[in-house]
Amino acid sequence: MDPFKFQADNRLLFGRWNYIIMKELLSGPKRYSDIKRTLPITGTALTDRLRLFEAENLIMRRLYPEMPIRVEYALTDKGEALRPIVEAFERWISHYNEG
Amino acid sequence: MDPFKFQADNRLLFGRWNYIIMKELLSGPKRYSDIKRTLPITGTALTDRLRLFEAENLIMRRLYPEMPIRVEYALTDKGEALRPIVEAFERWISHYNEG
């Protein structure tokens, strides 16, 4: 495993705020505004991350033909496969850090 | 869960190079030089991280009364409890990224 290639994967899930975005989407498809509300980051920063997640095939964007158009973000299979890792890490945090 | 408190835990395991140091120690106690050899970071950067891990009770330092003194770093129970998370993340990486 090339440690540098790894760094990209590592930061994809666990980079600054990325983990929180993933957790939001693990609780179901979300609109941009739903995700934005949970994070103290700029719209640009969130848009960049969502584009990165999409490029890495972790999430997909769904357009609903409504007026105005509704856009939702949802996890792909690859994104959904992170669930056990995130849940295990959450258990570790609550067991060791909030005990 | 306070997202800012969370950021500290998150970066503890998955920050820059921290994950690779943890993986080294998951394969058994290591001497400083053993860990240093696997990472393209300065001695100071490694020492800082090991001190942080120690302060967060993820690792412990063992001194062996030899001449010269031998120092080894090993995981604590809290550090060892990260094993399933690291192993699950490794499986995810190899399944989705190197397939």
Side-chain angles (χ1 to χ4, degrees), chain A residues 23-35 71-74:
Chain A
K23 264 179 63 182
E24 272 302 307
L25 292 170
L26 278 168
S27 66
K30 293 285 182 312
R31 288 154 72 144
Y32 181 91
S33 49
D34 298 335
I35 303 171
V71 177
E72 261 187 6
Y73 295 90

Side-chain angles (χ1 to χ4, degrees), chain B residues 15-33:
Chain B
R16 190 144 180 73
W17 307 121
N18 290 359
Y19 185 84
I20 293 176
I21 294 170
M22 280 304 291
K23 264 180 63 180
E24 272 301 307
L25 292 169
L26 278 169
S27 67
K30 293 283 184 312
R31 288 159 51 146
Y32 181 91
S33 49

Side-chain angles (χ1 to χ4, degrees), chain A residues 3 8 12-13 18 23 29 31 36-38 40 49 53 56 61 64 67 70-71 75 85 89-90 93-96:
Chain A
L12 192 64
L13 173 60
N18 290 359
K23 264 179 63 182
R31 288 154 72 144
K36 180 75 182 64
R37 209 172 295 128
T38 66
R49 279 172 173 71
F53 280 19
E56 288 289 337
R61 224 153 42 105
Y64 293 85
M67 276 308 289
R70 182 156 58 97
V71 177
L75 292 175
I85 296 159
F89 191 50
E90 295 286 302
I93 286 173
S94 54
H95 179 79
Y96 282 101

Side-chain angles (χ1 to χ4, degrees), chain A residues 10-11 14 16 92 97, chain B residues 9-11 14 16 78:
Chain A
N10 167 336
R11 227 169 282 142
F14 290 98
R16 191 147 178 71
W92 181 83
N97 289 339
Chain B
D9 302 321
N10 167 335
R11 227 168 280 142
F14 290 96
R16 190 144 180 73
K78 178 179 177 182

Side-chain angles (χ1 to χ4, degrees), chain B residues 14-54:
Chain B
F14 290 96
R16 190 144 180 73
W17 307 121
N18 290 359
Y19 185 84
I20 293 176
I21 294 170
M22 280 304 291
K23 264 180 63 180
E24 272 301 307
L25 292 169
L26 278 169
S27 67
K30 293 283 184 312
R31 288 159 51 146
Y32 181 91
S33 49
D34 299 336
I35 304 170
K36 180 75 182 64
R37 210 173 294 129
T38 66
L39 285 168
I41 62 176
T42 65
T44 317
L46 177 56
T47 302
D48 288 349
R49 280 173 172 73
L50 292 173
R51 280 207 190 111
L52 170 67
F53 280 20
E54 217 178 330

